[in-house]
Amino acid sequence: MAVKLLCLDIDGTILNSRKELTDRTRQAVAFARERGVKVFLASGRSLPGLKELLDRLDLAKSCICMNGALVYADGKEIRRSELKPDMVEEILETAVKYDSQVFFAGVDFNLTNKPLEGKMADAVRKGSLRGDYIIRTNPLEFRAEVKRLEGQILKGAVKELGEVNFQRLREDLEAFGNLHIAKSDTHFVDINSAGCTKWLGVKAAADYLGTPISDVMCIGDNENDKEMIAKAGVGVAMGNADPGVKRAAYYVTGTNDEDGAADAIHYFLSEVK
């Protein structure tokens, strides 16, 4: 087993519960790169939402964004999958039904209908998330912005704090049949076009680099990471991962508050020369 491509989830994986990138995790990524391993961030975040971490990790725009909807390798776009206008409308109408916060993202924008709060606001303050969101709290202005960005939207997301409404909202979205739905963080559900997943982004990166899947290592914690963890040559679940993600993994490491991703990197790459 020789790991040549390392794909890392962000929230709940390389960031701790305070949305911080620790020195130990940053050093572990540098350790992997020094051994010739190509490192990609693999996230539900948009490209603007990844920029701060790409810069801090010196990864030269190598990333799987928005759950595989947009993939860059060394700054070159190698994959893109858009949400069609009818899909965007389905997401918007469902969010309105439950009065939930909705997000739409493209190559260079993040749009939402409510101010950033909680963990997202903390992440902006700590520099692990860009804060230049387009915020339109007026419903008519928000719809006008969505219309203006038609054809450019690659991913949607909905934040719903109520447990009952969260489950109902998810079921409503799944009932449309043309969307891929996955929980990405507490209270968040990510929405892509059907068939668009992080795993397809990982596979696109591996194909571009000429790396066999057996030499790919993926680390993650949440539902949108499960497929890439199950199908990679080395699939690692965080100690704080969902139970289903742990069952799909080859190896379970420590939690994100224990620098579990760093531990896994050193464990599997220590013999790589």
Side-chain angles (χ1 to χ4, degrees), residues 9-13 19 42-45 66-67 103 119 155-159 166 170 181-192 198 220-225 240 242:
D9 173 53
I10 295 178
D11 300 288
T13 300
K19 296 294 184 182
S43 176
R45 294 189 188 191
M66 296 176 276
N67 299 321
F103 301 82
K119 289 183 178 180
K155 193 202 84 165
V158 179
K159 177 183 179 182
F166 182 89
R170 176 172 182 155
I181 314 297
K183 183 180 178 183
S184 60
D185 203 346
T186 308
H187 309 303
F188 278 86
V189 61
D190 280 0
I191 308 122
N192 292 87
K198 278 191 188 182
D221 72 304
N222 226 316
E223 189 178 309
N224 61 341
D225 302 312
N240 51 289
D242 285 351

Side-chain angles (χ1 to χ4, degrees), residues 58-208:
D58 196 23
L59 294 184
K61 205 174 175 183
S62 292
C63 51
I64 297 155
C65 311
M66 296 176 276
N67 299 321
L70 185 67
V71 181
Y72 283 92
D74 296 323
K76 178 182 178 181
E77 183 181 319
I78 61 172
R79 172 181 161 80
R80 184 184 293 211
S81 177
E82 299 170 356
L83 281 171
K84 295 179 180 178
D86 62 310
M87 299 175 182
V88 172
E89 183 62 25
E90 290 165 356
I91 297 166
L92 180 53
E93 287 298 328
T94 304
V96 168
K97 176 180 177 180
Y98 293 97
D99 192 28
S100 303
Q101 185 165 13
V102 61
F103 301 82
F104 291 114
V107 174
D108 57 1
F109 67 86
N110 286 289
L111 169 67
T112 186
N113 63 336
K114 296 184 181 183
L116 302 184
E117 297 178 343
K119 289 183 178 180
M120 292 189 73
D122 288 342
V124 170
R125 283 194 295 270
K126 292 172 181 176
S128 58
L129 180 67
R130 284 181 63 175
D132 55 348
Y133 276 67
I134 303 169
I135 301 173
R136 297 287 183 267
T137 56
N138 180 289
L140 292 178
E141 291 179 2
F142 185 77
R143 280 191 173 273
E145 200 70 38
V146 170
K147 181 65 177 176
R148 183 181 71 82
L149 295 169
E150 187 173 291
Q152 302 176 58
I153 296 173
L154 307 184
K155 193 202 84 165
V158 179
K159 177 183 179 182
E160 173 53 53
L161 300 179
E163 289 187 19
V164 173
N165 275 355
F166 182 89
Q167 187 57 38
R168 289 175 177 170
L169 179 149
R170 176 172 182 155
E171 290 171 356
D172 286 356
L173 289 168
E174 289 173 341
F176 289 118
N178 59 349
L179 302 170
H180 182 270
I181 314 297
K183 183 180 178 183
S184 60
D185 203 346
T186 308
H187 309 303
F188 278 86
V189 61
D190 280 0
I191 308 122
N192 292 87
S193 58
C196 181
T197 65
K198 278 191 188 182
W199 167 244
L200 288 186
V202 171
K203 192 171 183 304
D207 289 346
Y208 176 83

